[in-house]
Amino acid sequence: MNRRHHAIRRKIEGEKHLKLQLFKGWKKIGLKDDFEDVYKIWKDESKCFLCDIKLTNTRGANMKTMDHCHETGFFRGILCLTCNFQEHNDKYWKSNKFDK
């Protein structure tokens, strides 16, 4: 096997590991939607649904997070860490008729 093959294989293995870690975390917090569907959105989304800031995969205010309703467990969107940690996030969604 050549170097390119090894690099591709490491990238694929790394993505599989990330996907499994995300699924484990989503299960732990009670996500009830189809994980594969949410992962496709997670992978493709590059901006926060609420504030439109560019998202990153590293820790910090712009870190990509999966938002879900704490009452129903269903996925709502991909947010930055700042928007996801807002104290009244569930109230925001309900007041804007996203959960109704």
Side-chain angles (χ1 to χ4, degrees):
M1 286 192 230
N2 60 30
R3 288 183 187 187
R4 184 165 188 246
H5 177 76
H6 285 293
I8 292 169
R9 187 171 178 173
R10 277 195 307 272
K11 183 177 180 178
I12 291 170
E13 291 301 317
E15 186 172 328
K16 284 182 186 177
H17 178 72
L18 171 65
K19 187 176 178 180
L20 290 173
Q21 291 300 103
L22 287 169
F23 285 12
K24 183 179 176 182
W26 293 345
K27 183 177 181 181
K28 185 177 180 178
I29 62 171
L31 180 66
K32 295 199 168 62
D33 275 301
D34 183 276
F35 287 13
E36 289 292 337
D37 290 343
V38 173
Y39 182 73
K40 287 176 191 169
I41 296 168
W42 167 273
K43 198 171 168 191
D44 294 339
E45 193 59 52
S46 63
K47 291 193 174 187
C48 176
F49 184 73
L50 295 179
C51 72
D52 208 38
I53 197 166
K54 186 174 186 214
L55 298 169
T56 66
N57 289 322
T58 57
R59 292 190 184 266
N62 297 1
M63 184 174 82
K64 188 186 283 193
T65 62
M66 186 277 304
D67 185 46
H68 70 292
C69 176
H70 290 235
E71 292 177 17
T72 65
F74 289 104
F75 171 74
R76 292 190 291 216
I78 303 299
L79 303 179
C80 67
L81 187 63
T82 302
C83 288
N84 197 32
F85 275 171
Q86 288 179 357
E87 274 186 63
H88 306 288
N89 202 11
D90 283 337
K91 290 179 184 176
Y92 171 84
W93 286 96
K94 287 181 182 176
S95 69
N96 286 288
K97 301 180 182 175
F98 289 110
D99 271 347
K100 293 182 180 180

